[in-house]
C-alpha cells in the first residue's frame, strides 16, 4: 500500500489591523496560503468566548481581536487545516471553544502535581 505524503497547510497572516464589518458583525483579517489571499472573519460570538459582550461597540471588538490575535490566528489555521476548500475562513464561538479545550488538554499534566514523567 503506497504511503501518502501529508503536508501541513501553513497560513501566513498579514499584520494589518482588523476591520469591522457590520453586515457580518465580525472582524475581517487576511491570511495567505501559497499565493492565495483568504478573507478571515472572527464573529462577535467568537469574540464573546474571549471576553467581549453583546453590547460592545466595534472599537472594543477590534481591541479584543488585537489583544488575542495569536489565538485567533491559530484558530483560523486549525479550521483551515480541517477543511481547506474555499477562500473564506469564518471563526464562530465553537472554533475558539474547541481550540481552548484542545490547548487545555495538552497543557494539563497527566497526573496532578507532576509536570513531567521520568518513567517510561
Amino acid at each position: 500500500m503506497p504511503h501518502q505524503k501529508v503536508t501541513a497547510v501553513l497560513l501566513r497572516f498579514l499584520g494589518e489591523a482588523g476591520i469591522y464589518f457590520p453586515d457580518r458583525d465580525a472582524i475581517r483579517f487576511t491570511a495567505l496560503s501559497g499565493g492565495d489571499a483568504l478573507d478571515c472573519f472572527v464573529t462577535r460570538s467568537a469574540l464573546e468566548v474571549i471576553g467581549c459582550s453583546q453590547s460592545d461597540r466595534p472599537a472594543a471588538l477590534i481591541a479584543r481581536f488585537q489583544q488575542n490575535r495569536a489565538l485567533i490566528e491559530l484558530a483560523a489555521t486549525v479550521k483551515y487545516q480541517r477543511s481547506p476548500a474555499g477562500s473564506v475562513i469564518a471563526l464562530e464561538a465553537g472554533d475558539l471553544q474547541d481550540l481552548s479545550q484542545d490547548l487545555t488538554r495538552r497543557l494539563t499534566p497527566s497526573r496532578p502535581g507532576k509536570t513531567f514523567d521520568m518513567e517510561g
Side-chain angles (χ1 to χ4, degrees):
M1 206 153 116
H3 289 87
Q4 291 183 348
K5 185 176 180 181
V6 177
T7 57
V9 179
L10 296 178
L11 295 180
R12 196 164 47 91
F13 293 91
L14 303 181
E16 93 276 34
I19 300 169
Y20 179 74
F21 279 71
D23 60 322
R24 286 182 171 252
D25 197 19
I27 295 171
R28 184 187 65 113
F29 57 107
T30 306
L32 298 175
S33 176
D36 298 327
L38 305 171
D39 285 333
C40 302
F41 291 91
V42 58
T43 63
R44 180 182 296 267
S45 68
L47 292 167
E48 287 175 358
V49 171
I50 56 173
C52 285
S53 72
Q54 191 63 32
S55 62
D56 281 344
R57 298 177 97 49
L61 299 176
I62 291 171
R64 182 68 65 168
F65 164 77
Q66 289 299 123
Q67 291 166 353
N68 293 277
R69 188 160 188 143
L71 175 69
I72 292 166
E73 289 177 354
L74 179 59
T77 300
V78 168
K79 187 162 189 172
Y80 186 72
Q81 288 176 341
R82 290 181 179 162
S83 57
S87 60
V88 175
I89 301 169
L91 296 174
E92 303 289 339
D95 298 316
L96 289 179
Q97 289 166 338
D98 292 347
L99 180 62
S100 65
Q101 289 171 358
D102 288 348
L103 290 172
T104 301
R105 275 196 294 274
R106 288 186 187 146
L107 297 175
T108 303
S110 59
R111 286 189 263 170
K114 295 197 75 105
T115 54
F116 61 92
D117 197 341
M118 296 292 289
E119 302 167 353

